[in-house]
Amino acid sequence: MGETRHTRVLIIGSGPAGYTAAVYAARAMLNPILVQGIQPGGQLTITTEVENWPGDTHVMGPDLMVRMQAHAEAMGAEVISDHIAALDLSRRPFIAQADSGTTYTADAVILATGAQAKWLGLPSEEHFKGFGVSACATCDGFFYRGKKVVVIGGGNTAVEEALFLTNFAAQVTLIHRRDRLRAEKIMQDRLFKHPKITVLWHHEVTEVLGDDNPRGVTAVRARNVNSGQTTDIPCDGFFVAIGHAPASELVKDQLELHNGGYVRVEPGSTRTSIPGVFAAGDLTDHIYRQAVTSAGMGCMAALDAEKFLAGH
Ligand code: FAD
Ligand code: NAP
């Protein structure tokens, strides 16, 4: 049996929302405990340069998150390397069970579990995950030096992944199901000008092709969404960059969700459907999904939690 620890505010998640909540909750003398989860620092740790964090023209995502953690700790937050496996919000204090065996009881909980990469859902994609199929160019791009890679998606992530992969790969094909990208214009400009990148419009990937001995990708089968015609595109790596889904597994049967799994909060606040439980960042935001908006919501969540605790 692990130990049981009580805290006034338990913050779950260590992305911009969690760390900002920790800074504010610590400065409010609430002695918050923040549990980092399996991705300490959150999504920005799997990217390279961030160019839209105010005050930094260029900052590396992982460096920014190290600074945020240091800031939260300097203000007095306790940051713990662990993962919350189960959360009981049915009564107060709320109870969180961590993988380490520790049980946390908390008067208020701030959920900042962010989002996780979406996959296409193809059996062949699953089969080659980690063997040529990836959702993180920063993590795996290095393995494709001088090779051919395919990226699927049309948002900022896909364009960033494609551009980043040009540092290693000889040729990058971006496949998108429409004829227009969602990515910011400045990113699109860089993509279209890049000599190593080709864009295949109006296509979706229907299968990942490869060998089993040794296991590895050799091509992806792309289908023209208008004509139905399929083409096999030879490649050594396939990067899926089709967006992210909210990490609401812990609370899906306990809190009101909307828009496909995002935690619903009262407009203009971070209050969820259970008093004393607050949500911030990508977990609750299907529209903006930026580091700076997540940090802003983290601040709001700590202030909302402080107000709640003062009244209880
Ligand atoms: P996340 O960053 O998603 O962090 C979630 C945290 O929750 C993680 O620490 C995880 O370990 C933790 N967690 C999850 N489940 C549990 C659990 N059960 N127990 C404990 N902890 C848990 N935005 C920008 O503004 N500028 C950019 O340049 C930019 N580039 C990006 C590049 C990429 C490749 C990606 C994927 C995203 C990018 N974004 C960018 C978006 C930005 O990263 C997100 O909007 C932001 O990180 C969301 O912050 P968050 O705090 O809500 O959650
Ligand atoms: P996104 O904006 O939701 O884009 C997802 C893309 O994948 C869309 O183009 C979508 O196509 C496509 N797609 C979705 N499902 C698909 C499927 N099953 N098959 C084929 N294609 C599919 O996601 P994102 O690019 O990960 O960005 C998420 C958020 O993080 C955004 O708010 C973004 O601004 C932010 N972000 C910011 C930066 C930055 O500021 N530099 C970098 C990365 C991410 P459709 O267009 O047809 O829908």
Side-chain angles (χ1 to χ4, degrees):
M1 278 274 289
E3 61 173 339
T4 297
R5 295 190 57 191
H6 183 73
T7 177
R8 299 212 71 199
V9 182
L10 178 67
I11 300 167
I12 306 178
S14 57
Y19 283 143
T20 307
V23 167
Y24 276 78
R27 282 173 54 80
M29 312 301 275
L30 293 172
N31 302 320
I33 288 179
L34 181 151
V35 179
Q36 289 182 305
I38 55 174
Q39 189 178 49
Q43 292 171 64
L44 284 188
T45 61
I46 58 161
T47 189
T48 49
E49 290 206 349
V50 175
E51 296 181 352
N52 50 17
W53 180 255
D56 286 310
T57 316
H58 293 280
V59 58
M60 298 302 278
D63 294 346
L64 179 60
M65 297 319 299
V66 166
R67 278 167 34 196
M68 281 197 205
Q69 177 175 346
H71 190 171
E73 287 175 325
M75 292 299 119
E78 187 179 350
V79 175
I80 293 178
S81 171
D82 207 343
H83 173 262
I84 300 299
L87 186 60
D88 181 355
L89 302 176
S90 63
R91 69 202 116 113
R92 278 203 303 271
F94 306 114
I95 302 170
Q97 191 61 58
D99 279 354
S100 62
T102 302
T103 301
Y104 295 95
T105 58
D107 298 324
V109 169
I110 295 177
L111 300 163
T113 50
Q116 283 159 359
K118 277 188 199 162
W119 297 94
L120 293 172
L122 304 170
S124 52
E125 170 192 59
E126 189 60 37
H127 183 70
F128 289 109
K129 255 185 211 170
F131 296 87
V133 172
S134 168
C136 178
T138 327
C139 320
D140 301 327
F142 181 78
F143 300 116
Y144 299 95
R145 194 170 287 277
K147 300 192 168 168
K148 290 181 185 165
V149 297
V150 169
V151 177
I152 185 163
N156 270 328
T157 301
V159 172
E160 267 190 11
E161 301 271 89
L163 286 165
F164 179 73
L165 286 163
T166 61
N167 292 318
F168 312 98
Q171 197 182 313
V172 179
T173 305
L174 181 82
I175 299 182
H176 185 41
R177 61 188 179 184
R178 297 188 293 135
D179 62 355
R180 197 173 299 175
L181 300 171
R182 269 176 206 274
E184 288 168 292
K185 294 285 175 265
I186 189 169
M187 305 288 295
Q188 297 195 25
D189 272 2
R190 288 179 201 166
L191 180 97
F192 296 141
K193 281 187 191 143
H194 204 290
K196 282 189 185 175
I197 301 178
T198 311
V199 182
L200 185 61
W201 302 108
H202 294 299
H203 277 74
E204 60 186 11
V205 169
T206 54
E207 197 172 348
V208 183
L209 307 171
D211 291 330
D212 267 336
N213 202 9
R215 200 186 301 189
V217 171
T218 54
V220 293
R221 183 155 296 158
R223 182 177 149 279
N224 185 311
V225 294
N226 298 322
S227 68
Q229 198 176 336
T230 60
T231 319
D232 290 351
I233 302 166
C235 62
D236 307 281
F238 176 49
F239 289 83
V240 180
I242 60 167
H244 289 75
S248 52
E249 191 63 22
L250 275 180
V251 295
K252 70 177 179 359
D253 300 321
Q254 305 183 75
L255 293 179
E256 272 180 36
L257 307 180
H258 64 158
N259 292 308
Y262 290 84
V263 171
R264 186 196 283 280
V265 291
E266 282 176 39
S269 86
T270 60
R271 289 189 294 273
T272 68
S273 51
I274 295 183
V277 180
F278 305 90
D282 280 13
L283 172 68
T284 174
D285 171 20
H286 67 287
I287 299 172
Y288 303 106
R289 297 176 299 170
Q290 303 294 306
V292 70
T293 48
S294 298
M297 283 185 263
C299 156
M300 289 166 64
L303 297 178
D304 286 344
E306 184 186 0
K307 196 167 163 199
F308 169 83
L309 291 170
H312 289 78

